[in-house]
PDB file of all heavy atoms in Angstrom:
ATOM      1  N   LEU A  45      -1.213  15.927   2.095  1.00  0.00           N
ATOM      2  CA  LEU A  45      -0.397  15.694   3.321  1.00  0.00           C
ATOM      3  C   LEU A  45      -0.014  17.025   4.005  1.00  0.00           C
ATOM      4  O   LEU A  45       0.260  17.016   5.207  1.00  0.00           O
ATOM      5  CB  LEU A  45       0.866  14.909   2.994  1.00  0.00           C
ATOM      6  CG  LEU A  45       0.670  13.454   2.684  1.00  0.00           C
ATOM      7  CD1 LEU A  45       2.010  12.851   2.260  1.00  0.00           C
ATOM      8  CD2 LEU A  45       0.111  12.691   3.845  1.00  0.00           C
ATOM      9  N   GLY A  46      -0.022  18.118   3.258  1.00  0.00           N
ATOM     10  CA  GLY A  46       0.267  19.424   3.831  1.00  0.00           C
ATOM     11  C   GLY A  46       1.631  19.422   4.547  1.00  0.00           C
ATOM     12  O   GLY A  46       2.652  19.026   4.019  1.00  0.00           O
ATOM     13  N   VAL A  47       1.606  19.846   5.821  1.00  0.00           N
ATOM     14  CA  VAL A  47       2.814  19.991   6.613  1.00  0.00           C
ATOM     15  C   VAL A  47       3.489  18.646   6.864  1.00  0.00           C
ATOM     16  O   VAL A  47       4.635  18.606   7.282  1.00  0.00           O
ATOM     17  CB  VAL A  47       2.595  20.729   7.948  1.00  0.00           C
ATOM     18  CG1 VAL A  47       2.102  22.142   7.697  1.00  0.00           C
ATOM     19  CG2 VAL A  47       1.626  19.947   8.831  1.00  0.00           C
ATOM     20  N   TYR A  48       2.800  17.545   6.619  1.00  0.00           N
ATOM     21  CA  TYR A  48       3.346  16.205   6.843  1.00  0.00           C
ATOM     22  C   TYR A  48       3.949  15.643   5.568  1.00  0.00           C
ATOM     23  O   TYR A  48       4.387  14.493   5.540  1.00  0.00           O
ATOM     24  CB  TYR A  48       2.262  15.260   7.364  1.00  0.00           C
ATOM     25  CG  TYR A  48       1.660  15.747   8.645  1.00  0.00           C
ATOM     26  CD1 TYR A  48       0.366  16.269   8.697  1.00  0.00           C
ATOM     27  CD2 TYR A  48       2.389  15.694   9.835  1.00  0.00           C
ATOM     28  CE1 TYR A  48      -0.168  16.717   9.888  1.00  0.00           C
ATOM     29  CE2 TYR A  48       1.856  16.129  11.029  1.00  0.00           C
ATOM     30  CZ  TYR A  48       0.559  16.684  11.052  1.00  0.00           C
ATOM     31  OH  TYR A  48       0.036  17.100  12.239  1.00  0.00           O
ATOM     32  N   GLY A  49       4.076  16.436   4.526  1.00  0.00           N
ATOM     33  CA  GLY A  49       4.613  15.964   3.255  1.00  0.00           C
ATOM     34  C   GLY A  49       6.082  15.607   3.278  1.00  0.00           C
ATOM     35  O   GLY A  49       6.589  14.967   2.359  1.00  0.00           O
ATOM     36  N   ASP A  50       6.757  15.988   4.318  1.00  0.00           N
ATOM     37  CA  ASP A  50       8.196  15.688   4.425  1.00  0.00           C
ATOM     38  C   ASP A  50       8.446  14.572   5.484  1.00  0.00           C
ATOM     39  O   ASP A  50       9.580  14.301   5.800  1.00  0.00           O
ATOM     40  CB  ASP A  50       9.017  16.903   4.749  1.00  0.00           C
ATOM     41  CG  ASP A  50       8.666  17.506   6.127  1.00  0.00           C
ATOM     42  OD1 ASP A  50       7.625  17.109   6.719  1.00  0.00           O
ATOM     43  OD2 ASP A  50       9.408  18.375   6.578  1.00  0.00           O
ATOM     44  N   ARG A  51       7.396  13.962   5.978  1.00  0.00           N
ATOM     45  CA  ARG A  51       7.572  12.926   7.003  1.00  0.00           C
ATOM     46  C   ARG A  51       7.870  11.577   6.317  1.00  0.00           C
ATOM     47  O   ARG A  51       7.542  11.362   5.174  1.00  0.00           O
ATOM     48  CB  ARG A  51       6.281  12.752   7.825  1.00  0.00           C
ATOM     49  CG  ARG A  51       5.821  13.983   8.554  1.00  0.00           C
ATOM     50  CD  ARG A  51       6.850  14.532   9.502  1.00  0.00           C
ATOM     51  NE  ARG A  51       6.320  15.379  10.519  1.00  0.00           N
ATOM     52  CZ  ARG A  51       6.112  16.696  10.379  1.00  0.00           C
ATOM     53  NH1 ARG A  51       6.396  17.338   9.277  1.00  0.00           N
ATOM     54  NH2 ARG A  51       5.619  17.424  11.387  1.00  0.00           N
ATOM     55  N   ARG A  52       8.512  10.718   7.055  1.00  0.00           N
ATOM     56  CA  ARG A  52       8.786   9.345   6.581  1.00  0.00           C
ATOM     57  C   ARG A  52       7.841   8.402   7.294  1.00  0.00           C
ATOM     58  O   ARG A  52       7.719   8.441   8.526  1.00  0.00           O
ATOM     59  CB  ARG A  52      10.233   8.958   6.861  1.00  0.00           C
ATOM     60  CG  ARG A  52      11.219   9.743   5.976  1.00  0.00           C
ATOM     61  CD  ARG A  52      12.617   9.436   6.382  1.00  0.00           C
ATOM     62  NE  ARG A  52      12.854   7.988   6.367  1.00  0.00           N
ATOM     63  CZ  ARG A  52      13.856   7.442   5.688  1.00  0.00           C
ATOM     64  NH1 ARG A  52      14.696   8.142   5.030  1.00  0.00           N
ATOM     65  NH2 ARG A  52      14.001   6.142   5.752  1.00  0.00           N
ATOM     66  N   PHE A  53       7.219   7.541   6.516  1.00  0.00           N
ATOM     67  CA  PHE A  53       6.248   6.588   7.037  1.00  0.00           C
ATOM     68  C   PHE A  53       6.767   5.176   6.863  1.00  0.00           C
ATOM     69  O   PHE A  53       7.249   4.807   5.801  1.00  0.00           O
ATOM     70  CB  PHE A  53       4.921   6.720   6.263  1.00  0.00           C
ATOM     71  CG  PHE A  53       4.301   8.081   6.347  1.00  0.00           C
ATOM     72  CD1 PHE A  53       4.616   9.063   5.432  1.00  0.00           C
ATOM     73  CD2 PHE A  53       3.401   8.380   7.372  1.00  0.00           C
ATOM     74  CE1 PHE A  53       4.023  10.312   5.511  1.00  0.00           C
ATOM     75  CE2 PHE A  53       2.836   9.630   7.435  1.00  0.00           C
ATOM     76  CZ  PHE A  53       3.130  10.585   6.482  1.00  0.00           C
ATOM     77  N   ILE A  54       6.623   4.394   7.905  1.00  0.00           N
ATOM     78  CA  ILE A  54       6.877   2.981   7.836  1.00  0.00           C
ATOM     79  C   ILE A  54       5.509   2.281   7.750  1.00  0.00           C
ATOM     80  O   ILE A  54       4.653   2.488   8.576  1.00  0.00           O
ATOM     81  CB  ILE A  54       7.664   2.411   9.051  1.00  0.00           C
ATOM     82  CG1 ILE A  54       9.075   2.972   9.042  1.00  0.00           C
ATOM     83  CG2 ILE A  54       7.657   0.899   9.086  1.00  0.00           C
ATOM     84  CD1 ILE A  54       9.979   2.403   7.967  1.00  0.00           C
ATOM     85  N   LEU A  55       5.340   1.510   6.690  1.00  0.00           N
ATOM     86  CA  LEU A  55       4.166   0.654   6.537  1.00  0.00           C
ATOM     87  C   LEU A  55       4.654  -0.791   6.793  1.00  0.00           C
ATOM     88  O   LEU A  55       5.478  -1.285   6.050  1.00  0.00           O
ATOM     89  CB  LEU A  55       3.579   0.793   5.142  1.00  0.00           C
ATOM     90  CG  LEU A  55       3.277   2.231   4.730  1.00  0.00           C
ATOM     91  CD1 LEU A  55       2.857   2.310   3.263  1.00  0.00           C
ATOM     92  CD2 LEU A  55       2.255   2.884   5.620  1.00  0.00           C
ATOM     93  N   ASP A  56       4.149  -1.364   7.865  1.00  0.00           N
ATOM     94  CA  ASP A  56       4.641  -2.616   8.334  1.00  0.00           C
ATOM     95  C   ASP A  56       3.573  -3.717   8.226  1.00  0.00           C
ATOM     96  O   ASP A  56       2.773  -3.894   9.131  1.00  0.00           O
ATOM     97  CB  ASP A  56       5.100  -2.456   9.790  1.00  0.00           C
ATOM     98  CG  ASP A  56       5.661  -3.731  10.404  1.00  0.00           C
ATOM     99  OD1 ASP A  56       5.806  -4.733   9.674  1.00  0.00           O
ATOM    100  OD2 ASP A  56       5.941  -3.708  11.604  1.00  0.00           O
ATOM    101  N   PRO A  57       3.593  -4.469   7.117  1.00  0.00           N
ATOM    102  CA  PRO A  57       2.707  -5.614   7.040  1.00  0.00           C
ATOM    103  C   PRO A  57       3.199  -6.698   7.937  1.00  0.00           C
ATOM    104  O   PRO A  57       4.235  -7.357   7.676  1.00  0.00           O
ATOM    105  CB  PRO A  57       2.743  -6.020   5.529  1.00  0.00           C
ATOM    106  CG  PRO A  57       4.032  -5.446   5.030  1.00  0.00           C
ATOM    107  CD  PRO A  57       4.392  -4.313   5.937  1.00  0.00           C
ATOM    108  N   THR A  58       2.523  -6.896   9.081  1.00  0.00           N
ATOM    109  CA  THR A  58       3.041  -7.739  10.144  1.00  0.00           C
ATOM    110  C   THR A  58       3.100  -9.230   9.774  1.00  0.00           C
ATOM    111  O   THR A  58       3.737 -10.005  10.453  1.00  0.00           O
ATOM    112  CB  THR A  58       2.164  -7.582  11.381  1.00  0.00           C
ATOM    113  OG1 THR A  58       0.781  -7.836  11.062  1.00  0.00           O
ATOM    114  CG2 THR A  58       2.333  -6.188  11.964  1.00  0.00           C
ATOM    115  N   ASP A  59       2.449  -9.627   8.667  1.00  0.00           N
ATOM    116  CA  ASP A  59       2.492 -11.026   8.241  1.00  0.00           C
ATOM    117  C   ASP A  59       3.559 -11.265   7.167  1.00  0.00           C
ATOM    118  O   ASP A  59       3.603 -12.316   6.573  1.00  0.00           O
ATOM    119  CB  ASP A  59       1.123 -11.513   7.819  1.00  0.00           C
ATOM    120  CG  ASP A  59       0.409 -10.595   6.839  1.00  0.00           C
ATOM    121  OD1 ASP A  59       0.875  -9.473   6.602  1.00  0.00           O
ATOM    122  OD2 ASP A  59      -0.642 -10.987   6.317  1.00  0.00           O
ATOM    123  N   LEU A  60       4.395 -10.264   6.918  1.00  0.00           N
ATOM    124  CA  LEU A  60       5.494 -10.354   5.965  1.00  0.00           C
ATOM    125  C   LEU A  60       6.800  -9.978   6.655  1.00  0.00           C
ATOM    126  O   LEU A  60       6.815  -9.152   7.549  1.00  0.00           O
ATOM    127  CB  LEU A  60       5.243  -9.442   4.770  1.00  0.00           C
ATOM    128  CG  LEU A  60       4.067  -9.822   3.856  1.00  0.00           C
ATOM    129  CD1 LEU A  60       3.898  -8.796   2.738  1.00  0.00           C
ATOM    130  CD2 LEU A  60       4.247 -11.191   3.282  1.00  0.00           C
ATOM    131  N   PRO A  61       7.914 -10.505   6.149  1.00  0.00           N
ATOM    132  CA  PRO A  61       9.208 -10.187   6.776  1.00  0.00           C
ATOM    133  C   PRO A  61       9.873  -8.924   6.214  1.00  0.00           C
ATOM    134  O   PRO A  61      11.099  -8.833   6.177  1.00  0.00           O
ATOM    135  CB  PRO A  61      10.032 -11.454   6.429  1.00  0.00           C
ATOM    136  CG  PRO A  61       9.539 -11.842   5.098  1.00  0.00           C
ATOM    137  CD  PRO A  61       8.022 -11.563   5.142  1.00  0.00           C
ATOM    138  N   ILE A  62       9.075  -7.965   5.806  1.00  0.00           N
ATOM    139  CA  ILE A  62       9.598  -6.721   5.262  1.00  0.00           C
ATOM    140  C   ILE A  62       8.803  -5.541   5.838  1.00  0.00           C
ATOM    141  O   ILE A  62       7.711  -5.732   6.420  1.00  0.00           O
ATOM    142  CB  ILE A  62       9.479  -6.672   3.730  1.00  0.00           C
ATOM    143  CG1 ILE A  62       7.991  -6.823   3.304  1.00  0.00           C
ATOM    144  CG2 ILE A  62      10.361  -7.706   3.072  1.00  0.00           C
ATOM    145  CD1 ILE A  62       7.692  -6.450   1.883  1.00  0.00           C
ATOM    146  N   VAL A  63       9.352  -4.331   5.692  1.00  0.00           N
ATOM    147  CA  VAL A  63       8.614  -3.126   5.942  1.00  0.00           C
ATOM    148  C   VAL A  63       8.816  -2.229   4.734  1.00  0.00           C
ATOM    149  O   VAL A  63       9.810  -2.370   3.989  1.00  0.00           O
ATOM    150  CB  VAL A  63       9.086  -2.383   7.219  1.00  0.00           C
ATOM    151  CG1 VAL A  63       8.813  -3.211   8.458  1.00  0.00           C
ATOM    152  CG2 VAL A  63      10.540  -2.011   7.137  1.00  0.00           C
ATOM    153  N   LEU A  64       7.876  -1.353   4.493  1.00  0.00           N
ATOM    154  CA  LEU A  64       7.972  -0.345   3.435  1.00  0.00           C
ATOM    155  C   LEU A  64       8.207   1.006   4.054  1.00  0.00           C
ATOM    156  O   LEU A  64       7.482   1.371   4.974  1.00  0.00           O
ATOM    157  CB  LEU A  64       6.675  -0.314   2.594  1.00  0.00           C
ATOM    158  CG  LEU A  64       6.225  -1.669   2.028  1.00  0.00           C
ATOM    159  CD1 LEU A  64       4.835  -1.487   1.380  1.00  0.00           C
ATOM    160  CD2 LEU A  64       7.206  -2.161   0.984  1.00  0.00           C
TER     161      LEU A  64
END
Side-chain angles (χ1 to χ4, degrees):
L45 287 175
V47 299
Y48 300 107
D50 63 347
R51 302 302 200 273
R52 288 175 55 127
F53 300 89
I54 291 290
L55 307 173
D56 181 5
T58 56
D59 48 352
L60 293 177
I62 59 165
V63 296
L64 305 173

